[in-house]
Amino acid sequence: MGEHIPRFKTLSAYYEQDGLALGGPHEICVNMRCGDIAYDVVVKQCRTREITAVAAEPIPWTNIQTPLFIIERLLMLFDGAFVPLVRAEFDGSPDGDDGEAEVRQVLARRLSYFDSDLRSSNIPNDKLVDYCDVLTDDLVGKWLYLVEQLDITNQMYLYAMSRSGMPIDIRCAFLIELAEPLIEMCNKERGLFPDLAAKNKPTLKECLDAVIGEFGKVAFAYEMQMGKKAYDAFLSKLKCSRVRIMHIKANQPKDEYLNGLESAFYLKKLSLMYRAILLDLLGVPANLYEKRLRHRVETLDNWFAENHRKL
């Protein structure tokens, strides 16, 4: 007889964070397919959040987690941070399994990128979109495709925004590096940046310039208005900050790179731009989030100016 693998029809997950009252009441149900399995996923919110995934029939407990992970990452794109998972329940076992052992494993094995660094991005300040305004079957289908195409790129972003223990300059360097795959993705899906896409290997600085020019007009409005020479120096600084993790000190560029305060500041701005790009690729109308984006960027610019004066 083979090993018994507990099967369940339903997984419910409960999320909350001390001091955070989410909006609501909201309840949205979407249908999605992961591989050969169809799910109904219900997202409820009223101060706290609950996500329930229901399969058409009982399936292995590891499989029924998949739609949960997909929806959690989409909600993070809207919110700017993950809400901590505090409790989970399996239900609908045809074999009488209570799911308690599986719940312990779900909580213990949770990937570290689900633990957002709230100093870098948090829901009260960084939410761009209310999920109840945009969450549909069609959007989830687009998100499944986008996550598959982005592959490890999206995970790099999530780890950079988490409490991973990495120094802030390394986390910022990871987000700077994302300019290159974003050029590829935007060219594939929107036909943008044809000249760069036609090149065998465009430089990182070229990719940064193109991505910011197309999608960073709000997040990097101040930098783009500094004048051509100053803006070019800013792009070089971003490039050199990424190059630091690729070469030993003797082989690093002699140009300036971001200091600690600048790394913390541009991590936030690059994150906002990355999210805006993905929202655009998903077809979310800009008028649903641009006001919040502008307000957040204005707040960050003022914060940086105040702290920079203190140095």
Side-chain angles (χ1 to χ4, degrees):
M1 181 179 294
E3 179 186 1
H4 173 66
I5 299 177
R7 296 175 299 146
F8 301 94
K9 189 174 179 180
T10 302
L11 171 59
S12 297
Y14 303 88
Y15 307 82
E16 63 180 288
Q17 180 180 309
D18 290 343
L20 176 64
L22 299 169
H26 304 302
E27 181 173 337
I28 302 290
C29 179
V30 292
N31 307 114
M32 60 188 295
R33 179 173 290 275
C34 302
D36 296 328
I37 305 173
Y39 300 91
D40 292 328
V41 181
V42 180
V43 184
K44 297 180 182 180
Q45 188 170 285
C46 186
R47 298 185 64 85
T48 61
R49 180 176 289 166
E50 176 185 344
I51 304 176
T52 300
V54 183
E57 58 186 32
I59 59 175
W61 70 276
T62 50
N63 290 5
I64 203 168
Q65 295 180 78
T66 303
L68 201 68
F69 299 153
I70 295 294
I71 295 295
E72 283 182 296
R73 285 183 286 174
L74 178 57
L75 294 176
M76 188 277 183
L77 183 66
F78 301 156
D79 292 336
F82 289 105
V83 183
L85 172 65
V86 296
R87 185 165 58 90
E89 296 174 355
F90 287 97
D91 197 11
S93 168
D95 306 309
D97 292 298
D98 60 18
E100 291 184 3
E102 289 70 40
V103 165
R104 287 194 293 272
Q105 292 194 59
V106 168
L107 297 175
R109 295 181 179 181
R110 197 151 168 82
L111 293 174
S112 61
Y113 66 59
F114 286 112
D115 185 11
S116 297
D117 183 352
L118 302 184
R119 298 168 301 175
S120 299
S121 188
N122 58 79
I123 294 174
N125 293 319
D126 292 281
K127 178 193 276 189
L128 294 180
V129 178
D130 291 304
Y131 85 89
C132 57
D133 291 334
V134 296
L135 193 62
T136 62
D137 295 359
D138 181 62
L139 187 84
V140 172
K142 291 178 180 177
W143 177 241
L144 283 164
Y145 170 78
L146 190 58
V147 167
E148 180 182 8
Q149 293 299 311
L150 287 169
D151 196 27
I152 199 171
T153 298
N154 189 242
Q155 294 183 57
M156 283 178 61
Y157 167 75
L158 295 175
Y159 277 115
M161 300 306 295
S162 72
R163 293 200 299 175
S164 60
M166 288 188 294
I168 195 73
D169 51 352
I170 295 178
R171 293 165 58 195
C172 189
F174 281 166
L175 292 200
I176 294 168
E177 174 73 18
L178 297 184
E180 294 176 343
L182 287 173
I183 288 286
E184 297 173 352
M185 193 71 199
C186 292
N187 176 259
K188 181 177 184 297
E189 297 304 313
R190 291 281 194 273
L192 298 172
F193 318 121
D195 293 341
L196 287 181
K199 281 190 172 185
N200 182 36
K201 187 168 178 58
T203 68
L204 176 60
K205 187 175 178 181
E206 289 174 328
C207 292
L208 286 165
D209 186 27
V211 168
I212 292 174
E214 181 69 28
F215 295 103
K217 293 183 179 71
V218 175
F220 293 93
Y222 174 79
E223 289 80 3
M224 296 178 75
Q225 294 168 6
M226 293 189 301
K228 185 175 180 180
K229 184 175 181 180
Y231 180 64
D232 186 75
F234 160 70
L235 293 175
S236 294
K237 208 171 194 181
L238 291 182
K239 177 204 70 175
C240 292
S241 300
R242 175 269 195 184
V243 170
R244 286 185 71 202
I245 68 172
M246 306 298 293
H247 299 285
I248 64 171
K249 191 164 187 176
N251 294 336
Q252 292 173 10
K254 304 306 178 187
D255 299 329
E256 279 192 80
Y257 49 80
L258 300 175
N259 61 31
L261 177 64
E262 291 170 329
S263 293
F265 177 55
Y266 285 113
L267 178 77
K268 299 170 190 282
K269 281 200 167 188
L270 288 164
S271 171
L272 288 169
M273 184 178 72
Y274 176 85
R275 291 167 61 204
I277 293 171
L278 266 57
L279 289 172
D280 182 84
L281 291 173
L282 288 171
V284 176
N287 67 320
L288 291 181
Y289 59 85
E290 197 165 90
K291 183 178 179 180
R292 285 173 171 168
L293 178 59
R294 289 185 186 279
H295 177 72
R296 182 53 174 154
V297 171
E298 181 181 344
T299 302
L300 287 173
D301 284 341
N302 291 337
W303 170 85
F304 179 73
E306 178 64 25
N307 283 275
H308 195 260
R309 283 196 294 268
K310 295 176 182 179
L311 294 180

